[in-house]
Amino acid sequence: MSPRIPLSQPPTSPAPAVRHLTVDEESAGQRLDNFLIRELKGVPKTHIYRIIRSGEVRRNKGRVSADDRVQSGDVLRIPPMRLSQQAEEKQLNPAPARQFPVVFEDEAFLAIDKPAGVAVHGGSGVSFGVIEQMRQARPDAKLLELVHRLDRETSGLLLIAKKKSALKALQDQFRERETGKTYLALVKGVWPARLKVLDQPLHKYLLADGERRVKVTTKDDPNGMHSVTLVKVAALIAVPAALATQLPEGLSLLEVTIKTGRTHQIRVHLSHAGHPIAGDDKYGDFELNRQLARAGLKRMFLHAWRLRLSHPVTGSTLELHAELPDELRPWSGGRPEKGD
């Protein structure tokens, strides 16, 4: 009788173990709950608060509360914890590593030129985005965090912090509207030169399928968000002969500076003014988009072109540029130049 061959067992992930985290200098003064939420990625917040309340989290071997401030050198004992199913799936199927064109980089942060069609982070039906891919491509980086966001369809400048102090300083600048964010947008028709300021509140809502949308609303709408967009005409763009009948006035290339960073702000403000962005599949002229695609413009012409900010460490003024990508340049009329 032949010997019985044992059945192979499916691989199992190692059992979670006690962890000890040492608080670094940059995290000094942070609330314990916020520190753990950042450090224990993939662990539900409810679990984090539960282990704090139960005393399973220890600081320097003593009990600690969620609102206590951690200090540099503190040693935190973290009990064994399992990741959420979504986090485990991400560990088993990590994002593919990818580098993106770097416009600026130092020890505090970097600015990349994000291509169109790439989400900045995973979620909402997208398993991964720029930040997950960059973390895979830079495994030795202690921290990589998004400072702000860009729509998936928008290309251009995107800031990523490499230090917690830089993340906070840069996000404070964005929140206090101390940065200058200028986009290039190609729109239908001739933009009125007198129309330089769009000051219209925006209201977010969901479609029946759960997709997010935004619309201009009235000043007395309690859910309206104050939104200001500044517009400057950079050039008037002639269209190919095949579009001349449909677009006798051609297109306008605009420099658009936002004073508030609302969801889809530029797209909604320009469309509401009667000049939708070329190629915009949510708020645009859909028939025009089809004609433009046949003529070679196969994406939305919205590009985060210029960003003025104060360096988060030195305080010096920086002006960053991401020039138009190859697929948009033929539609720009050679404008604007970097120094404009």
Side-chain angles (χ1 to χ4, degrees):
M1 182 175 179
S2 59
R4 180 176 296 176
I5 301 174
L7 296 175
S8 59
Q9 296 296 321
T12 58
S13 56
V18 170
R19 296 173 57 189
H20 291 88
L21 299 178
T22 301
V23 178
D24 59 358
E25 290 184 7
E26 286 209 334
S27 300
Q30 194 172 22
R31 282 174 54 120
L32 173 69
D33 52 358
N34 292 335
F35 175 81
L36 292 181
I37 288 168
R38 183 178 298 279
E39 292 292 328
L40 303 179
K41 290 181 172 63
V43 178
K45 291 182 182 180
T46 53
H47 292 189
I48 291 175
Y49 283 105
R50 179 182 59 75
I51 61 173
I52 295 173
R53 286 194 305 269
S54 67
E56 294 175 84
V57 174
R58 296 275 172 164
R59 178 175 62 178
N60 304 327
K61 300 184 179 180
R63 291 182 69 101
V64 65
S65 300
D67 58 356
D68 283 352
R69 304 281 175 173
V70 297
Q71 300 302 324
S72 177
D74 282 350
V75 177
L76 302 175
R77 176 197 180 274
I78 311 300
M81 299 195 68
R82 291 199 177 274
L83 298 177
S84 66
Q85 182 177 353
Q86 183 180 17
E88 286 186 341
E89 289 174 356
K90 283 186 177 180
Q91 284 195 352
L92 293 173
N93 301 286
R98 180 177 177 181
Q99 296 282 9
F100 295 89
V102 175
V103 176
F104 172 89
E105 182 171 8
D106 66 6
E107 73 285 349
F109 77 101
L110 71 153
I112 66 167
D113 187 355
K114 184 188 85 68
V118 182
V120 296
H121 60 78
S124 301
V126 180
S127 57
F128 59 84
V130 168
I131 194 64
E132 290 88 359
Q133 290 185 291
M134 288 200 63
R135 286 169 181 159
Q136 289 294 322
R138 296 182 174 212
D140 295 332
K142 292 183 179 179
L143 179 139
L144 290 174
E145 293 285 353
L146 290 168
V147 174
H148 61 113
R149 284 155 175 64
L150 289 178
D151 287 349
R152 183 176 182 177
E153 302 89 349
T154 304
S155 57
L157 289 168
L158 180 68
L159 301 189
I160 297 172
K162 297 167 65 176
K163 300 173 68 174
K164 293 174 185 176
S165 56
L167 177 65
K168 182 180 185 304
L170 289 169
Q171 288 183 332
D172 286 347
Q173 288 186 54
F174 278 88
R175 184 171 51 255
E176 299 301 324
R177 304 172 192 171
E178 295 171 352
T179 59
K181 296 169 65 178
T182 300
Y183 295 70
L184 297 177
L186 187 68
V187 301
K188 178 181 179 180
V190 177
W191 183 271
R194 59 176 174 74
L195 189 55
K196 298 179 179 179
V197 181
L198 302 176
D199 184 356
Q200 299 155 326
L202 298 177
H203 176 87
K204 287 196 289 189
Y205 64 100
L206 296 178
L207 298 178
D209 61 1
E211 190 173 354
R212 180 178 54 184
R213 284 289 191 276
V214 180
K215 64 181 179 181
V216 169
T217 187
T218 59
K219 299 284 186 182
D220 57 358
D221 183 347
N223 295 313
M225 297 173 291
H226 177 60
S227 307
V228 179
T229 302
L230 308 181
V231 182
K232 173 186 174 184
V233 178
L236 298 178
I237 308 298
V239 297
L243 292 175
T245 301
Q246 187 175 357
L247 276 177
E249 296 181 328
L251 300 161
S252 297
L253 182 66
L254 307 179
E255 295 181 22
V256 184
T257 300
I258 54 173
K259 293 298 183 181
T260 52
R262 309 302 184 193
T263 301
H264 298 168
Q265 176 176 325
I266 295 175
R267 301 164 70 174
V268 176
H269 269 172
L270 299 186
S271 180
H272 186 262
H275 299 272
I277 296 176
D280 188 343
D281 64 357
K282 288 184 171 65
Y283 308 99
D285 181 325
F286 305 131
E287 178 55 34
L288 173 61
N289 290 347
R290 283 191 284 270
Q291 298 293 334
L292 289 169
R294 292 192 187 103
L297 182 61
K298 301 183 183 298
R299 55 156 287 198
M300 179 174 66
F301 195 128
L302 183 61
H303 178 73
W305 171 55
R306 183 175 66 205
L307 180 59
R308 294 189 177 105
L309 69 153
S310 298
H311 191 280
V313 176
T314 67
S316 60
T317 299
L318 294 176
E319 180 169 306
L320 308 176
H321 288 84
E323 298 309 307
L324 282 171
D326 291 343
E327 70 270 16
L328 297 185
R329 199 169 294 124
W331 295 85
S332 70
R335 296 275 300 183
E337 298 297 333
K338 182 176 179 179
D340 285 359

